[in-house]
Amino acid sequence: MRGAKEALLNFPRLLLTNLGTIVFALVLALIVWFAISFQLFPDVTRTIHDVPITAEVTDYMRDLKLVLSAEFEDTINVEITGKRYEIGGVSPDDFIAKLDFSEVRDVGVHTVPVLVQPRVLADDFTVMPHNMTVNVTVIQTAEKRLTIIPDLEGLIPAEGMMINRDNVVVLPDRFITIHGERSLIDTVDSVHLLVASAHEQPIEQTSDLPGELAFFDRDGLPIDAVGIDYEERAFTVTVPIFMHRTLPLGVEIINAPDNFDLNSLLSKMTFNPQRLPIAAPDSTIDSLDRMTLGTISLSGITLEDLEQGRVLGVTLPPGYVNDSDYDSVELKFNCDDYEVRQFNVPSDNISVINAPNGFTITVRRNQRIPVTVIGPADVLETLTVADIRGTINYAGILDVSPGTKIIGGMFTIDGANVSAWVTGTSYEVEVVIR
């Protein structure tokens, strides 16, 4: 009993004394154990957890636009065998796991195997066989390009105004491409841009209004947009607002002498059609009592015009819209009692004005200029050459040099409220410059 007690008391001292020998023995034992283990059990099995599975369709499926109905996300646990020291650092990144779509040929639910292989082929380990399969739903996709139809049914123009539906503009594009499952895309017949809910107050002027896309089938019934994919954009509709009036037509006679009786000619002019429906982008049309189709130079009106009339294009102020089917209007003069007569005007009836400083310009004497006059027959009967005056205006003419020149002259008829006029603008007069 005493010996055992002494041995127990001496154990700590012996342990400290032989600590180095003990540690060495333990290390040596571990080395021997590892050596024996590698010799007796050269290969071990290890499970690599959570290897991501990819789902890339085949070229055949891609050609037929066959895709998975939903995004696929899943993982697989891979078992490998190999030497312990060689497979200790293998990770999920060292493997490729993918769905095998080689047998998929049409839409529906398919059971497909999962293929696993090392990312880099090596002899360090072996992938153990597995029987994992996955059920996936395959659909066929389609796309369709449609014209966006602006839906303005809920918009209310202000009093006296109207919506010009022919000039409504959809921004940024009038077309949209939709895609998704074929069975769904095939049901879409039209795309509308609803703007009614975006603007509840009466519209007083042309406005850009936001809209919301809505899809409809061939029967005009709405389709749930879930599953219909398209580029998300902010669509707006430019809605032109116009005030409509039907106005009588007219023309402006220009280059008429101050003494010419315009009403004597305007009162004989008629238009076919006599009135046109006009749309204006604002209320300025309210101030108009007629729509002027342009200008006509008095000297450019010929006897042929009086007999056969003229065709005038319909030209409107900027922003105005012609709501009729007429692109042109026929102008009739109704001047059956008008005649044309030629007068040989002597040079004494022609004067020169605005002669440049340092020059004297006179009309060569003994000239007679044949001037054509149009007017009522009874007026022409009383008209003489003494009533016709010519003027040569040198204002703005820079090429002035001594000698004899041919220059154009303008002829008018004397009197008050004259109803006849000189037609043509190419009357040439010979002048002498000193």
Side-chain angles (χ1 to χ4, degrees):
M1 187 69 180
R2 182 177 178 182
K5 184 176 180 181
E6 289 179 355
L8 184 61
L9 291 174
N10 292 329
F11 179 75
R13 180 175 58 81
L14 294 174
L15 181 63
L16 291 174
T17 303
N18 299 289
L19 181 60
T21 303
I22 295 172
V23 171
F24 175 76
L26 288 174
V27 171
L28 183 61
L30 287 173
I31 293 174
V32 172
W33 182 81
F34 275 115
I36 295 174
S37 296
F38 285 134
Q39 291 298 321
L40 297 179
F41 307 100
D43 291 333
V44 296
T45 300
R46 181 185 170 200
T47 300
I48 309 300
H49 296 277
D50 300 327
V51 176
I53 303 174
T54 61
E56 183 177 353
V57 299
T58 62
D59 290 340
Y60 175 85
M61 295 175 64
R62 194 174 294 110
D63 291 340
L64 294 182
K65 297 187 181 300
L66 298 176
V67 298
L68 299 184
S69 62
E71 292 290 335
F72 180 84
E73 291 185 4
D74 201 353
T75 61
I76 185 175
N77 295 333
V78 179
E79 289 190 344
I80 61 174
T81 61
K83 295 186 180 354
R84 186 186 302 274
Y85 64 90
E86 291 180 338
I87 65 174
V90 176
S91 70
D93 294 336
D94 295 318
F95 297 91
I96 297 176
K98 60 183 180 180
L99 299 183
D100 181 9
F101 292 110
S102 58
E103 300 300 323
V104 175
R105 290 291 184 269
D106 54 9
V107 299
V109 179
H110 295 268
T111 300
V112 297
V114 179
L115 301 181
V116 179
Q117 65 183 37
R119 190 173 298 275
V120 178
L121 296 180
D123 297 330
D124 299 341
F125 58 86
T126 301
V127 178
M128 301 294 291
H130 69 91
N131 296 316
M132 181 177 179
T133 58
V134 176
N135 290 333
V136 293
T137 301
V138 176
I139 62 173
Q140 188 175 31
T141 62
E143 67 178 29
K144 184 182 293 186
R145 190 169 188 260
L146 297 169
T147 301
I148 299 175
I149 302 172
D151 190 333
L152 312 177
E153 296 304 320
L155 296 182
I156 303 174
E159 184 177 358
M161 308 296 283
M162 296 181 65
I163 297 175
N164 187 352
R165 298 179 181 274
D166 292 337
N167 291 302
V168 172
V169 177
V170 176
L171 297 174
D173 193 356
R174 191 66 184 264
F175 301 94
I176 186 172
T177 299
I178 61 174
H179 50 91
E181 187 175 357
R182 175 175 292 278
S183 60
L184 175 60
I185 298 302
D186 286 345
T187 63
V188 179
D189 184 66
S190 62
V191 181
H192 291 213
L193 191 62
L194 307 179
V195 298
S197 60
H199 200 89
E200 299 179 355
Q201 299 299 320
I203 305 176
E204 299 180 351
Q205 60 185 1
T206 298
S207 305
D208 292 331
L209 305 178
E212 181 179 352
L213 291 177
F215 303 92
F216 295 86
D217 62 16
R218 290 180 178 83
D219 297 324
L221 300 176
I223 298 174
D224 191 342
V226 175
I228 301 176
D229 297 321
Y230 54 90
E231 183 181 356
E232 292 287 350
R233 290 181 289 179
F235 287 94
T236 60
V237 179
T238 300
V239 183
I241 301 297
F242 287 93
M243 178 173 285
H244 286 253
R245 286 189 62 192
T246 299
L247 295 174
L249 303 178
V251 294
E252 181 182 356
I253 302 297
I254 61 173
N255 299 326
D258 294 338
N259 63 342
F260 181 74
D261 183 7
L262 275 175
N263 288 330
S264 66
L265 182 59
L266 293 175
S267 62
K268 294 180 177 293
M269 295 165 57
T270 58
F271 298 88
N272 183 27
Q274 296 182 0
R275 305 166 70 89
L276 282 181
I278 305 296
D282 49 38
S283 59
T284 56
I285 196 172
D286 269 345
S287 63
L288 302 179
D289 57 1
R290 67 173 184 166
M291 179 55 62
T292 301
L293 297 179
T295 61
I296 297 177
S297 177
L298 179 64
S299 61
I301 299 176
T302 65
L303 183 62
E304 182 181 3
D305 293 329
L306 300 184
E307 293 175 346
Q308 300 181 12
R310 280 192 181 188
V311 176
L312 304 176
V314 178
T315 303
L316 303 179
Y320 280 54
V321 175
N322 178 9
D323 272 351
S324 75
D325 295 328
Y326 292 93
D327 295 326
S328 60
V329 173
E330 185 180 11
L331 169 61
K332 290 289 188 180
F333 288 91
N334 303 313
C335 296
D336 296 337
D337 59 335
Y338 278 49
E339 294 181 355
V340 60
R341 185 171 298 181
Q342 191 173 82
F343 295 85
N344 293 318
V345 180
S347 56
D348 292 341
N349 290 20
I350 305 172
S351 59
V352 177
I353 63 174
N354 296 318
N357 293 332
F359 290 91
T360 299
I361 302 177
T362 58
V363 178
R364 185 180 63 79
R365 299 181 63 81
N366 301 323
Q367 290 185 85
R368 288 195 173 271
I369 310 301
V371 175
T372 303
V373 178
I374 296 177
D378 57 345
V379 173
L380 297 185
E381 285 292 336
T382 62
L383 199 64
T384 67
V385 292
D387 299 315
I388 301 176
R389 297 290 174 180
T391 303
I392 297 175
N393 189 354
Y394 258 83
I397 299 178
L398 302 178
D399 183 15
V400 181
S401 60
T404 300
K405 304 289 184 182
I406 301 294
I407 192 167
M410 183 180 68
F411 291 83
T412 58
I413 301 172
D414 285 341
N417 295 322
V418 178
S419 56
W421 68 91
V422 176
T423 183
T425 58
S426 60
Y427 294 107
E428 295 182 343
V429 180
E430 188 175 354
V431 298
V432 178
I433 305 175
R434 297 183 178 85

